Amino acid sequence: MKTTILIISLLLTGIIETIAQTYDTVWLSSLDISKATIGWGKPGADVSCMGNPIILDGITYKKGFGTHAPGVLYVKLSGGSARFHATVGINDEEKASVGSAIFKIYTKTDLLWQSDIVRSGGHAQSVDLSMAKLDTIIFCSETTADGPNYDHTDWADAYFLVKGSKPIAIDRPSEPAVILTPKAAPGPKINGPKVYGVRPGNDFIFRIAATGERPMVFKAKGLPAGLKLDSKTGIITGRVKKIGKYEVTLSATNIIGTSNRKLTIICGSQIALTPPLGWNSWNCFACAVDQDKVKAAADAMVKSGLADHGWSYINIDDCWMVQPESKDAVVGGEIRDDQGNMNVNRKFADMKGLTTYVHSLGLKIGTYSGPGPKTCAGYTACYKFEEKDALKFAELGFDYLKYDWCDYERIAKDHSLPELKKPYRVMRDALNKVNRDIIYSLCQYGMGDVWQWGTEVGGNCWRTTGDITDDWSSMESIGFGQAGKEKYAGPGHWNDPDMLVVGKVGWGPQLHTTRLTPNEQYTHISLWALLASPLLIGCDMTQLDDFTYSLLTNDEVLDINQDPIGKQASRILKDGNFEVWVKELEDGSKAVGLFNRSLFAAPVTVSWNDLGLAGNYIVRDLWSQHDEGNYSGSFTATIPSHGVKLVRIYKK
Ligand code: GLA
């Protein structure tokens, strides 16, 4: 008996030794994990996405790969790995939170393994898989229905047993940037909003957006008294005194022909009747902004042709005022003059000249401040000077004010609703005392469900989220996270899921091309158009490439965003990673976005039942601007990974 046991144990030791000798252990965390994309924080080698030890279910692991869902890492095995092992879960650093996620391992075509849902403070799970003959695998951690918050997903004790080629982390396969938007025709075509609001007696400035060869002659029939049109530039200016609804017919004529479009001008109490279309300096320049860059942006909006598609606001974000410590004020080195008027800093030495210049192009200009003593970047803000500052904004000719909570955190007693509303009411009252149409944009990142009371405090739009960045997880969690907020949006008051991150962005001074893939960029613009969101271009418009330009100049897509009834899309289907969103349009047709949030191309279907339709309808692809054909019952399209099919469903 003893001899048998001895022989067996000798044999086992031999086998174990052979395995140990034949296979190398390669830790997942030893690969170039900077190639991973993760939802938040930094991919961690042997630490969490926050840099803490990897602890799951009370056990501390020396080795592991710390991520945050949604996380993706491509690893090339080239057939050299025999097995993969890991223990997965949500790091105990979020033990008391409500994170939940699913871990998945894919080959390029198939799902190899998936965990159950793992939760903060819940149990970890182990995986031990054969990797024999596999070429490439993809490690994913995915969010669940409750979104990405607290999903600190760790692959603990994660290693390959390797014989032959070593695993290497690789970039996600690149996608070609396919331009779908047709080029504008040489004949005239009028674009832009079909309805525009102005308050009686206030400055009116509107540039007729039209593509086509120049020179062009513009006409406007039915303009209210007090407005005049420059027939060469297409810029309408003046003041309307009489409250009313004016049906105007705009026309543009060039050597090829004439195009007409109706514009309803409503002189009354409301502005921002369609979501503002423009540019903001923050996502490209942040505090590296100066007046030359803003002027160049305005020039680029016109010269590139963006203005011919309806883009019209040039908004300066933070960093134009004085920084209390730096004494960089233009006048006297002080934050405010003897009368309490706010000074600008030296980078904006001629603010009035700048606003006048932007207006001369038929564009509008916006500014930024906040209710606290300072802005987010530490520049002087409006606290206790609200009326003075509102007057100053009007005198300078600003048409848009983004009002950012940030430093008011020091003033507010708490985050109760009265405290959250208070500073926004104060500035609303101040703006009501000036004779200028200034779009009032609340920026407080969605606190206290601002969408429920943004209109009550007089906002024209309000940020529903924290700051966006140019990566998939940020954009998708913000964009798809808007579901359910549609009932709070409408003409004059819009949900704002933050500014666009296509083109060259970077929060200055260094810029880089957006890290969103081409399909992700189509998803971004399609979703924001469906959401009736304010569209504020966040890139350097002097460096527009053809692909970015095509994303921003598709008139059929922009018309969805600008539709006069101002409905925000609702999500009517969520089936795992597949979603369908629908926006009702003025003419009774429906704009529908079919989205695929998964890693692989897949068919997505919208059924007429879900849309409340019956019978035959034409399905029109909005990006390529062509009818796909007649469909009854449903429409299915194969959607690329992270991509979209944006269609309009209509009857002839
Ligand atoms: C906050 C806002 C941003 C930007 C910066 C400026 O973070 O959310 O959009 O305005 O402040 O400092």
Side-chain angles (χ1 to χ4, degrees), residues 428-551:
R428 176 72 267 168
D429 292 345
L431 288 172
N432 287 347
K433 291 187 182 143
V434 304
N435 295 325
R436 190 158 186 93
D437 287 352
I438 299 178
I439 289 185
Y440 187 31
S441 158
L442 320 185
C443 177
Q444 47 84 286
Y445 342 112
M447 289 185 296
D449 293 350
V450 60
W451 44 91
Q452 298 189 15
W453 48 267
T455 309
E456 180 197 320
V457 299
N460 295 114
C461 49
W462 42 82
R463 277 270 296 278
T464 53
T465 75
D467 290 14
I468 196 168
T469 55
D470 59 319
D471 62 63
W472 169 248
S473 50
S474 166
M475 188 276 288
E476 73 140 9
S477 61
I478 289 179
F480 294 109
Q482 301 306 303
K485 300 192 178 77
E486 55 273 18
K487 65 169 179 274
Y488 305 104
H493 50 101
W494 309 102
N495 289 312
D496 174 4
D498 208 2
M499 302 172 290
L500 303 179
V501 281
V502 298
K504 285 234 166 173
V505 293
W507 294 266
Q510 299 299 326
L511 302 186
H512 61 263
T513 299
T514 180
R515 290 171 295 162
L516 294 178
T517 66
N519 277 310
E520 292 168 355
Q521 296 180 59
Y522 276 115
T523 291
H524 182 23
I525 304 297
S526 304
L527 189 51
W528 265 237
L530 286 167
L531 291 171
S533 160
L535 297 180
L536 292 175
I537 297 170
C539 68
D540 181 354
M541 292 189 293
T542 67
Q543 298 189 56
L544 277 178
D545 59 280
D546 291 347
F547 180 70
T548 309
Y549 187 72
S550 79
L551 291 172

Side-chain angles (χ1 to χ4, degrees), residues 317-391:
D317 207 277
D318 207 341
C319 311
W320 60 265
M321 342 61 183
V322 179
Q323 243 183 340
E325 312 74 44
S326 71
K327 299 260 172 190
D328 58 351
V330 172
V331 189
E334 297 300 330
I335 297 168
R336 293 179 182 272
D337 67 15
D338 297 344
Q339 272 83 51
N341 293 312
M342 190 188 284
N343 266 327
V344 294
N345 69 44
R346 289 196 192 105
K347 294 193 299 171
F348 286 89
D350 183 14
M351 193 63 108
K352 183 70 188 170
L354 180 62
T355 61
T356 307
Y357 179 75
V358 172
H359 287 150
S360 76
L361 301 175
L363 304 177
K364 284 164 276 226
I365 183 159
T367 191
Y368 165 100
S369 192
K374 291 183 184 178
T375 66
C376 291
Y379 289 70
T380 304
C382 299
Y383 184 56
K384 294 207 161 145
F385 288 90
E386 292 84 357
E387 286 200 1
K388 278 247 174 281
D389 290 352
L391 196 63

